[in-house]
Amino acid sequence: MIKEEITKHSIQLFEKKGFSQTSIQDIVDVLDVTKGTFYYYFSSKEQLLMDIHLQYIDNLLSRQQMIFDNTSLTNKEKLEEVILMLIKDIKERGSSGRVFFREIRHLNNMNISKVKEKRNNFRLRIEEVVQEGIKTKEFQSDLPADMIAFGILGVTNYSYNWFNPNGDVSPEELAEIFSKMILNGIVSG
Amino acid sequence: MIKEEITKHSIQLFEKKGFSQTSIQDIVDVLDVTKGTFYYYFSSKEQLLMDIHLQYIDNLLSRQQMIFDNTSLTNKEKLEEVILMLIKDIKERGSSGRVFFREIRHLNNMNISKVKEKRNNFRLRIEEVVQEGIKTKEFQSDLPADMIAFGILGVTNYSYNWFNPNGDVSPEELAEIFSKMILNGIVSG
Amino acid sequence: MIKEEITKHSIQLFEKKGFSQTSIQDIVDVLDVTKGTFYYYFSSKEQLLMDIHLQYIDNLLSRQQMIFDNTSLTNKEKLEEVILMLIKDIKERGSSGRVFFREIRHLNNMNISKVKEKRNNFRLRIEEVVQEGIKTKEFQSDLPADMIAFGILGVTNYSYNWFNPNGDVSPEELAEIFSKMILNGIVSG
Amino acid sequence: MIKEEITKHSIQLFEKKGFSQTSIQDIVDVLDVTKGTFYYYFSSKEQLLMDIHLQYIDNLLSRQQMIFDNTSLTNKEKLEEVILMLIKDIKERGSSGRVFFREIRHLNNMNISKVKEKRNNFRLRIEEVVQEGIKTKEFQSDLPADMIAFGILGVTNYSYNWFNPNGDVSPEELAEIFSKMILNGIVSG
DNA sequence: AATGAATGAGTGTTCATTCAT
DNA sequence: AATGAATGAACACTCATTCAT
């Protein structure tokens, strides 16, 4: 209960001020407890950050798996679904996402490796879908699937930096725009 | 001379360890001078970071202008050129770029505003090219030019996080892959 | 307990070396604790100085009030009592007094205002007694009470700079000398 | 020429910000020269402070001597004249005076001794006049001349802390008020 | 007579962490 | 389960002073 509260408020603080600029004191002040309490639940500031990272990426991985395991979807539809998932996530978990992308460097080397492996898995599964689509002729035959996967993630992940999910364009609309661009390009005809 | 050396090595350190985690001591140790020397050339650590930011974005803005002012290029070609410029830049100024994208938060509010304005200008000029291309029918008529500009920048800027310009794929090749994806999409036929 | 110790020793150090010339390190060295301990009890060096100022002036104000509220005293006697109080204070709180008079400038503007207001109150109450004495014909009718109050405080406060309470002249004797000078002057007849 | 300029502006700065809080940089910035220039004229920051002290006290001593050497004056008049001199000085040399009273602690021990000796001389000569006046029966017979001298200086010197020579009360008026208080007291009859 | 570059010791302050209770 | 006191290492920054030119 308290542990979850700490995590939740830390995400807000890390997003707003950054990991380094947020002190344990800042965190416990929000909850009106003392630093001792923090160290009862977390062994270090870094472990808290690791928890946040794992929660974020594990959630994405399992939701990605649900999409990609759905055999009724074409590869094109799988890409569309995963793009939609990522863009919609900005609204509900944008803070976590920004912390995830920005603060990984503050983990120690071992934890960085663990997180990067999961992050790579997420990307590699997208790469596999692209590869599958090439095989099924849904996608162009000469695509370098790995680079395309990076390109897709660039479009979606960069959105965490600028997209306002409460603005004029809804997450669903943005996901459709980006899906179209990636799938069909912008050139006319 | 020394000022340039400080800037150069700071970029490397900021890239590797992050702005907060890099101390003035770290910086001057590399050059074998004292902290006093640092403060002779820079009024604060933040001013050094601002210098780095301005150097980076001003350079990009002027090169972008050269491309966009070239009336012999189509709008499609202009986009290709600017994508190529950004991807090739990873090789020569990748460190600066990563610092630019990651550490802006450590500037004070006024400086953040200044940098963001320039960064927005860079994006808005891309948006204008997309808009122009729509008018000339080079691009599809129903494109939201603003979102597309964000999409293009997502693809290129995210590359700073993963692309190894000395690896199997050359910057020129990657630029072509991304240009094709953005312009023509990945769907076959 | 420790907080009081810090305050006590700081007063000695500030008196001897001055506020600026006394470092936090100097202070904690005396008590054999670390700088962290200092900042556990005080938010800043300035706050410590403010504490010292408030302790000093609040004490004087309350003792002054006790004297001036004593309706059995004439206005002349009230002045004598307050002069005695100030001179006797040199022995017990001379260090605090010297810090108070000398180091106020190192407070921030808001704190300076707060302290000056209290200091002014102390003076204004003396002015009121002079004014009362004029009304009751104890004192000469044409006295500018405000300037006289400054004059009285000049005589007493300046004593903090030179008077040795353990020397040939006792505090009580000095108070009497100054009371006589102020009340009756030095001219004969 | 430049040396005098440095001294002049230093006095203003030392008065406003205090000796410690004023850097050599602050001083040379006002004159738009470099620190090297400062060290061409002064061997150290402290020497500048010593110059200021000596200028101030030597001037007072010589003017005091002119008054006390004037054999046409009674001892009472001599005191009146010296009080007038000191109060009028607030207008023309108030900055120097405040620096003199406040910053002496920043001199080294040898210089402190030199200045204190001169300051003591100034006081001792006042004491002598009081003593003379006692002999001539101008003043009361049982006065402790030394304490009275301190009292007189308290009244005048403290004025540097509060008296505004451009306010409602002129220096001449204030000098008269204080002379009357010291000579005749404030008690009526 | 004056400069500009450089020094190095010191300053106030922050903060993750520990630990007895 | 939680606290309060204490630590100590680190940090950005200041500044009087030096010195070759």
Side-chain angles (χ1 to χ4, degrees):
Chain A
M1 191 62 194
I2 289 211
K3 193 175 183 188
E4 281 78 13
E5 286 292 304
I6 292 176
T7 308
K8 196 176 91 188
H9 287 103
S10 298
I11 292 169
Q12 314 299 329
L13 288 167
F14 291 167
E15 183 199 6
K16 201 184 347 167
K17 313 177 33 166
F19 179 77
S20 297
Q21 271 57 47
T22 304
S23 67
I24 306 284
Q25 195 61 57
D26 291 336
I27 295 167
V28 298
D29 278 354
V30 176
L31 295 167
D32 221 31
V33 295
T34 60
K35 279 190 278 195
T37 303
F38 178 90
Y39 280 93
Y40 180 76
Y41 291 108
F42 297 92
S43 64
S44 70
K45 193 184 173 191
E46 196 229 331
Q47 201 223 38
L48 163 61
L49 185 62
M50 184 60 174
D51 276 19
I52 294 171
H53 272 74
L54 288 181
Q55 268 174 41
Y56 182 76
I57 188 65
D58 284 341
N59 171 286
L60 281 192
L61 279 169
S62 70
R63 287 159 70 202
Q64 186 195 48
Q65 191 165 17
M66 283 183 57
I67 294 169
F68 288 178
D69 284 358
N70 183 343
T71 52
S72 72
L73 296 177
T74 64
N75 290 299
K76 180 167 161 291
E77 284 165 344
K78 284 181 182 174
L79 289 190
E80 284 170 340
E81 283 295 313
V82 88
I83 289 169
L84 178 61
M85 172 184 92
L86 287 168
I87 300 292
K88 274 172 67 182
D89 226 34
I90 296 176
K91 185 161 193 170
E92 283 131 38
R93 305 202 306 150
S95 299
S96 292
R98 280 179 282 273
V99 171
F100 182 81
F101 292 130
R102 234 171 33 191
E103 311 291 355
I104 186 175
R105 163 179 20 133
H106 296 106
L107 297 174
N108 65 38
N109 290 335
M110 208 188 66
N111 282 338
I112 288 183
S113 299
K114 285 185 190 163
V115 171
K116 284 205 169 164
E117 199 195 333
K118 286 169 185 271
R119 209 173 60 177
N120 285 341
N121 282 341
F122 189 85
R123 178 176 49 78
L124 289 169
R125 293 190 192 166
I126 291 178
E127 190 181 323
E128 283 164 20
V129 169
V130 173
Q131 204 68 58
E132 274 308 303
I134 293 172
K135 259 193 226 157
T136 63
K137 316 261 184 186
E138 286 173 82
F139 302 144
Q140 297 165 27
S141 60
D142 57 346
L143 293 180
D146 50 355
M147 299 295 129
I148 295 299
F150 276 121
I152 293 169
L153 284 172
V155 173
T156 50
N157 290 349
Y158 191 64
S159 303
Y160 280 78
N161 292 323
W162 60 268
F163 180 56
N164 172 14
N166 302 312
D168 286 344
V169 178
S170 73
E172 287 78 7
E173 285 166 341
L174 183 64
E176 201 193 331
I177 291 165
F178 281 164
S179 284
K180 270 191 189 167
M181 181 182 94
I182 291 163
L183 294 170
N184 306 319
I186 63 173
V187 169
S188 62
Chain B
M1 193 61 194
I2 287 215
K3 196 178 181 185
E4 281 78 13
E5 286 292 304
I6 291 176
T7 307
K8 198 177 89 186
H9 286 102
S10 298
I11 292 170
Q12 315 297 329
L13 289 167
F14 290 166
E15 183 199 6
K16 197 181 353 162
K17 314 176 34 163
F19 179 77
S20 298
Q21 271 56 48
T22 303
S23 69
I24 305 288
Q25 195 61 60
D26 291 337
I27 294 168
V28 298
D29 279 353
V30 175
L31 295 167
D32 218 33
V33 294
T34 60
K35 274 192 279 195
T37 302
F38 177 91
Y39 282 95
Y40 181 75
Y41 291 105
F42 297 92
S43 62
S44 70
K45 194 184 172 189
E46 196 229 328
Q47 201 224 39
L48 162 62
L49 184 62
M50 184 59 174
D51 275 19
I52 294 171
H53 271 75
L54 288 182
Q55 268 174 39
Y56 182 76
I57 187 64
D58 284 341
N59 170 286
L60 280 193
L61 279 169
S62 70
R63 287 160 69 202
Q64 185 196 47
Q65 191 165 16
M66 282 182 55
I67 294 169
F68 288 177
D69 283 357
N70 183 344
T71 51
S72 70
L73 297 176
T74 64
N75 290 298
K76 181 168 160 292
E77 284 165 344
K78 284 179 182 174
L79 289 190
E80 285 171 340
E81 284 294 315
V82 89
I83 289 169
L84 178 61
M85 172 183 94
L86 288 168
I87 299 294
K88 275 173 66 179
D89 226 35
I90 297 176
K91 185 161 194 171
E92 283 130 39
R93 305 201 307 150
S95 298
S96 291
R98 280 179 283 274
V99 171
F100 181 81
F101 292 130
R102 236 172 29 194
E103 311 291 355
I104 185 173
R105 159 178 27 131
H106 295 104
L107 297 174
N108 64 38
N109 289 336
M110 208 189 67
N111 281 338
I112 288 183
S113 299
K114 285 184 188 163
V115 172
K116 284 204 169 165
E117 199 195 333
K118 286 169 185 271
R119 210 174 59 179
N120 284 342
N121 282 341
F122 189 86
R123 176 176 48 78
L124 289 170
R125 293 187 193 168
I126 291 178
E127 190 181 322
E128 283 164 18
V129 170
V130 173
Q131 205 68 61
E132 274 307 303
I134 293 171
K135 257 193 228 157
T136 62
K137 316 259 185 191
E138 286 173 81
F139 302 144
Q140 297 165 28
S141 61
D142 58 346
L143 293 180
D146 50 353
M147 299 294 129
I148 295 300
F150 276 121
I152 294 169
L153 285 172
V155 173
T156 51
N157 290 349
Y158 192 64
S159 303
Y160 281 79
N161 292 323
W162 61 268
F163 179 55
N164 172 12
N166 303 313
D168 285 345
V169 177
S170 73
E172 286 78 6
E173 285 165 342
L174 183 64
E176 205 194 328
I177 291 165
F178 280 163
S179 282
K180 271 192 188 164
M181 181 181 95
I182 290 162
L183 294 169
N184 305 320
I186 62 173
V187 169
S188 62
Chain C
M1 191 60 193
I2 289 214
K3 194 176 182 188
E4 280 78 14
E5 286 292 304
I6 291 176
T7 308
K8 198 177 88 187
H9 286 102
S10 298
I11 292 169
Q12 315 299 328
L13 288 167
F14 290 165
E15 184 200 6
K16 198 184 348 166
K17 313 175 38 164
F19 179 77
S20 298
Q21 271 56 49
T22 303
S23 68
I24 306 287
Q25 195 61 58
D26 291 337
I27 295 167
V28 297
D29 279 353
V30 175
L31 295 167
D32 218 31
V33 293
T34 60
K35 276 194 277 193
T37 302
F38 177 91
Y39 280 94
Y40 181 75
Y41 291 105
F42 297 92
S43 62
S44 69
K45 192 183 174 190
E46 196 228 330
Q47 201 224 38
L48 162 61
L49 184 62
M50 184 60 174
D51 275 19
I52 294 171
H53 271 75
L54 288 182
Q55 268 174 41
Y56 182 76
I57 187 65
D58 284 340
N59 170 287
L60 280 193
L61 278 170
S62 70
R63 288 159 68 201
Q64 185 195 47
Q65 190 166 17
M66 283 183 55
I67 295 170
F68 287 178
D69 284 357
N70 183 343
T71 52
S72 71
L73 297 176
T74 64
N75 291 298
K76 181 167 159 293
E77 285 165 344
K78 283 180 182 175
L79 289 189
E80 286 171 340
E81 284 294 314
V82 89
I83 289 168
L84 179 61
M85 172 183 93
L86 288 168
I87 300 293
K88 275 173 65 180
D89 226 35
I90 296 176
K91 185 161 194 170
E92 282 130 39
R93 306 202 305 151
S95 298
S96 292
R98 279 179 284 273
V99 171
F100 182 82
F101 293 130
R102 234 171 32 192
E103 312 292 355
I104 186 174
R105 159 178 28 130
H106 296 104
L107 298 174
N108 65 38
N109 288 336
M110 209 189 65
N111 282 338
I112 288 182
S113 298
K114 285 185 188 161
V115 172
K116 284 204 168 163
E117 199 195 333
K118 286 169 185 271
R119 210 174 59 178
N120 284 342
N121 281 341
F122 190 85
R123 177 175 49 79
L124 289 170
R125 293 190 193 167
I126 292 179
E127 190 181 322
E128 283 164 19
V129 170
V130 173
Q131 204 69 60
E132 274 308 304
I134 294 171
K135 258 194 225 156
T136 63
K137 317 258 184 188
E138 286 173 81
F139 301 143
Q140 297 164 27
S141 61
D142 58 346
L143 293 181
D146 49 355
M147 299 293 129
I148 295 299
F150 276 120
I152 293 169
L153 285 173
V155 174
T156 51
N157 290 348
Y158 192 64
S159 303
Y160 281 79
N161 293 323
W162 60 268
F163 180 56
N164 172 13
N166 302 312
D168 285 346
V169 177
S170 73
E172 287 77 7
E173 286 166 342
L174 183 64
E176 203 194 329
I177 291 165
F178 281 163
S179 283
K180 270 191 189 165
M181 180 180 96
I182 291 162
L183 295 169
N184 305 320
I186 62 174
V187 170
S188 63
Chain D
M1 191 62 194
I2 288 211
K3 194 175 182 186
E4 280 78 12
E5 286 292 304
I6 291 176
T7 308
K8 196 176 89 187
H9 287 104
S10 297
I11 292 169
Q12 314 299 328
L13 288 168
F14 290 166
E15 183 199 7
K16 200 184 347 166
K17 313 176 33 165
F19 179 77
S20 297
Q21 271 57 47
T22 303
S23 67
I24 306 285
Q25 194 62 58
D26 291 336
I27 295 167
V28 297
D29 278 354
V30 176
L31 296 167
D32 221 31
V33 294
T34 60
K35 278 190 277 195
T37 303
F38 178 91
Y39 280 94
Y40 180 77
Y41 291 106
F42 297 92
S43 63
S44 70
K45 194 184 173 191
E46 196 229 330
Q47 200 222 41
L48 162 62
L49 185 62
M50 184 60 174
D51 275 19
I52 294 171
H53 272 75
L54 289 181
Q55 268 174 41
Y56 182 77
I57 188 65
D58 283 341
N59 169 287
L60 280 193
L61 280 168
S62 71
R63 287 159 70 201
Q64 186 195 47
Q65 191 165 17
M66 283 183 56
I67 294 170
F68 287 177
D69 284 358
N70 183 344
T71 52
S72 73
L73 298 176
T74 65
N75 290 297
K76 180 168 160 293
E77 285 165 342
K78 284 180 182 174
L79 288 190
E80 285 171 339
E81 284 294 315
V82 89
I83 289 169
L84 179 61
M85 172 183 91
L86 287 168
I87 299 293
K88 275 173 66 181
D89 226 34
I90 296 176
K91 185 162 195 170
E92 284 131 37
R93 304 202 307 151
S95 298
S96 292
R98 279 179 283 273
V99 171
F100 181 81
F101 292 130
R102 234 172 33 192
E103 312 291 355
I104 185 173
R105 162 179 22 134
H106 296 105
L107 297 174
N108 65 39
N109 289 336
M110 206 188 68
N111 282 337
I112 287 182
S113 298
K114 285 185 189 162
V115 171
K116 283 204 169 163
E117 198 195 334
K118 286 170 185 270
R119 211 174 59 177
N120 285 341
N121 281 342
F122 189 86
R123 178 176 48 79
L124 289 170
R125 293 190 193 167
I126 291 178
E127 191 181 322
E128 283 164 20
V129 169
V130 173
Q131 205 68 61
E132 273 309 301
I134 294 171
K135 258 192 225 156
T136 63
K137 315 260 184 188
E138 286 173 82
F139 302 143
Q140 296 164 29
S141 61
D142 57 348
L143 293 180
D146 50 355
M147 299 293 129
I148 295 298
F150 276 121
I152 294 169
L153 285 172
V155 173
T156 50
N157 290 349
Y158 191 64
S159 304
Y160 281 79
N161 293 323
W162 61 268
F163 180 55
N164 172 14
N166 302 313
D168 286 345
V169 178
S170 72
E172 287 78 7
E173 286 167 340
L174 183 64
E176 202 193 329
I177 291 165
F178 281 164
S179 284
K180 269 191 188 167
M181 181 182 95
I182 290 163
L183 295 169
N184 306 319
I186 63 173
V187 169
S188 62

